[in-house]
Structures are given as structure tokens and as C-alpha cells.
Amino acid sequence: MITHTDHFHGSDLEKIEQLYHIKKENIISFSANVNPLGLSGKLCEALKEHLDVITSYPDREYTELRKSIASYCHTDFENVVAGNGSTELISAVLRQKAFKNACLISPTYSEYEREISLGGGVCHYYMLTPENHFALCTEELFAFLSDKEIELLVLCNPNNPTSTALNREILAEILGFCKKNGVFVMFDETYIEFVEDDADTTAVPFLSHFDNFIILRGISKFFASPGLRLGYGLTGSRTLIRSINETKNPWTINSLAEYAGRVLFTDEEYIRRTKTLIHTERNRVCGILRTIPGLKVYEPAANFVLVKIEKENRNADILFDAAIRRSLMIRNCSTFQGLDNRFFRLCFMNPEENDLLLSCIRKTMG
């Protein structure tokens, strides 16, 4: 086994290529959490026919794009703000409010911590535990928020890497408490479309009731288009949207991405096929993983699953190495706060690819 200090994620294919001498185009990435169907066929055809959009500036207000997003999300287009990926919007929100104390539900995506720290804020971590199946206890969370004088709560729903999700009842409880106590909430719904009952998981229905939160989404994962760098935010606070638009640079979304967004959200066949594939493979793959001795599978809501290795002479380093030598890339989760090298994450791909990885895992686990 090659010994290294890096723990690779889905965008590190060049590093993998150098270290393992495997061509990156031959690697099947179970680490990137991207839709295995690839690009929408409707989008590909539309872009071929409308490449000339790059000869003009996009509408500065992105009105048609925002209307397309609003229709897709079942909200008013005036609740929508578009950005160059959700990362631009994270920065834009944090610029509007000088949050001194932020709470991250951990383990979770690391970009929040970086952006909050750059803005001079301090991150406090409310830890989800494997002993409690990474479930969130609102009573304990509220006590934590009050004790730390939290001004910003960041919630990834479904959460990465645990694949746990909060339902509408819990969301209402959290928003009510935060509104009463002056806490702004940032929901990251990157993986919301993969959830089987996304209507009971999204915070969109609360846009007309609360103005103390924003939902961030993008097209990188569900629509397999990370290179287009298109993200969007949904909020009931028109004041926040106006402030973001007044301070962000103009035309951060290029004409190609703007046009692509208007097409993607209308491809109902692609959306349906994706949901069917992920729902089917999630049940099948997790069912097989549960039959492999030495593995503990945490119930997933998104298009990926977190697994713990409980066999003494096996860990995620060994499993990663065994898989990558077969050109299969999983995510070693030891770099996530609160996890170690007993944890790994994999996303659900096409059945044939999933079977290759399942076979590798079974053999490696002995």
C-alpha cells in the first residue's frame, strides 16, 4: 500500500494520477457525489444550437434565469438570487452580516469554516455522534446556540458526509427558535434533489413565513455540471437580496451558464431518471453493504452513504488503496471533524459500477 498524508476528495483526480499512475479519465469516482447520468441530453443539444449566447452579455438582473429557478423550486422569482456557484453566495451573505459567532453542525463540509474565518468570525462546533447515528437533538442544539451566543447557524441538509436529513417539523422548530433569538440560518441544500421525499426535507415552504434564513443550492451535483459554476440562493428577505446584489460584482455568471440554467431546470425526463436511479441503487447498494461483516452502514438520505469499518485489521486507508488500484475512488473521511480513518463515504453510481466497488469492498474486508 502506498503511504501518503493526503486524503483525496472528488476533485483530486490529478493528484491520484500522479501518485498511482492511473489516468484520471479511467477513474470511477465514488467520491465526487455527482449524478452518474452525466450531462442532461436536453442541455447538450441546446448548447450546440445556442453557442452564440457567448457573444452577448447576460441580463444583469438574470431575470429569466431566476424565473426558471423559481418555477423549479415552487417559489416567487423575487426570492431568488443567482451566483457563481454556491461558494460565491456563501461569501456574499457573510459580507452582509458581521457574524462574530457561528455554529457548524459537524462533521460537515469544510468551506463554511474557511469563509467564516476569512470574515473574522469564530466557528463553534455542535457535534453529531456516530453513537446517536448522527441524529440532531434540537433541545441540545438550542442550549448550545444560547450558551455560545451564536449569530449564524449553518445547516447542510442533507448533511455531507453523514447523509442525514432534517424533516419539515424539525426545520420549523429550528427556524422558530432562531427567529426568536436573533440567529440567522444558512441552509445548504446541495443534495436536496436526491432525497426521496424532498418536499418534506427542503426549507422552501418556510420562505413566506421567516426572513431569517437563506437556502443555497447549485447544479454541480444533481445536474452534473460543476464546471458551469452556477449556484442560487432562496430567501424571504428582500433586504438581504438587495444588499447582495448591490455589493456583488456584475455578470459573475457567464452567458453560457445563464442559458444552461434556464434549460436544465426544465428537463423533467432527466430529473425523473436521476431520482429513479438514485432511489433504486441507494436501497440496493446499502442492502448489500449491510451483509458484509465488519461494516456499519448509516441510513442515507442523499446520493451517498457513510460507512464505518468495525473490523480491527481494516480501515479506510486500506480500503481506499485497494479500490483505487482497481480505478475506483472512495472518500476516506478521516479529514472530517469528528471522524477518523474507520469511516468512508461512497456515492451511488450506475449498477455495473456499483457492483465493481461492492466486490472490491467485500474482498478487502475479507
Side-chain angles (χ1 to χ4, degrees), residues 145-215:
L145 297 179
S146 299
D147 179 62
K148 302 295 183 181
E149 299 182 343
I150 297 298
E151 299 162 307
L152 170 67
L153 171 63
V154 181
L155 274 169
C156 188
N157 192 39
N159 187 41
N160 176 20
T162 62
S163 201
T164 49
L166 306 176
N167 61 31
R168 186 181 299 189
E169 182 180 351
I170 295 176
L171 295 177
E173 188 179 355
I174 291 172
L175 285 170
F177 175 88
C178 289
K179 178 68 174 178
K180 182 179 179 180
N181 291 274
V183 179
F184 188 82
V185 185
M186 184 185 294
F187 289 111
D188 182 342
E189 291 191 351
T190 296
Y191 299 101
I192 196 71
E193 289 106 327
F194 293 110
V195 176
E196 191 155 7
D197 188 5
D198 55 341
D200 189 51
T201 308
T202 179
V204 168
F206 299 106
L207 290 172
S208 58
H209 303 288
F210 296 93
D211 62 357
N212 64 319
F213 76 98
I214 188 170
I215 300 167

Side-chain angles (χ1 to χ4, degrees), residues 5 22 40 53 72 91 104 106 131 138 182 235 237 332 359:
T5 57
I22 301 170
S40 151
V53 297
Y72 176 69
S91 300
L104 303 183
S106 196
E131 293 77 20
T138 54
T235 179
S237 173
N332 183 331
S359 175

Side-chain angles (χ1 to χ4, degrees), residues 2-153:
I2 292 178
T3 302
H4 56 82
T5 57
D6 293 322
H7 293 289
F8 304 102
H9 53 77
S11 61
D12 287 336
L13 296 183
E14 288 79 9
K15 293 181 182 178
I16 293 287
E17 187 175 49
Q18 294 173 8
L19 186 60
Y20 283 91
H21 308 292
I22 301 170
K23 290 184 178 180
K24 62 181 181 181
E25 56 267 26
N26 293 335
I27 297 173
I28 302 174
S29 179
F30 292 83
S31 174
N33 298 341
V34 173
N35 188 338
L37 293 183
L39 286 176
S40 151
K42 183 176 181 178
L43 174 62
C44 291
E45 291 303 314
L47 290 181
K48 288 178 186 177
E49 296 176 6
H50 294 87
L51 277 176
D52 60 333
V53 297
I54 65 175
T55 64
S56 304
Y57 284 100
D59 166 26
R60 189 177 181 127
E61 304 297 325
Y62 298 106
T63 303
E64 292 305 314
L65 171 62
R66 288 163 53 223
K67 286 182 177 179
S68 179
I69 292 170
S71 177
Y72 176 69
C73 296
H74 308 292
T75 190
D76 190 302
F77 87 99
E78 292 188 352
N79 290 337
V80 180
V81 58
N84 185 254
S86 58
T87 49
E88 184 196 18
L89 294 173
I90 293 173
S91 300
V93 171
L94 295 178
R95 280 199 302 268
Q96 308 311 311
K97 301 174 182 287
F99 297 112
K100 293 181 180 179
N101 293 299
C103 174
L104 303 183
I105 309 297
S106 196
T108 196
Y109 178 57
S110 62
E111 190 65 23
Y112 313 127
E113 178 182 16
R114 176 181 177 275
E115 293 294 334
I116 292 166
S117 298
L118 287 174
V122 176
C123 295
H124 303 271
Y125 300 92
Y126 174 82
M127 299 302 299
L128 304 176
T129 64
E131 293 77 20
N132 197 34
H133 305 281
F134 300 103
L136 177 67
C137 173
T138 54
E139 184 177 344
E140 292 179 0
L141 173 64
F142 297 159
F144 185 90
L145 297 179
S146 299
D147 179 62
K148 302 295 183 181
E149 299 182 343
I150 297 298
E151 299 162 307
L152 170 67
L153 171 63

Side-chain angles (χ1 to χ4, degrees), residues 274-287:
T274 299
K275 289 179 176 290
T276 299
L277 172 64
I278 296 302
H279 298 170
T280 302
E281 285 303 288
R282 178 169 54 221
N283 291 334
R284 187 182 74 89
V285 170
C286 289

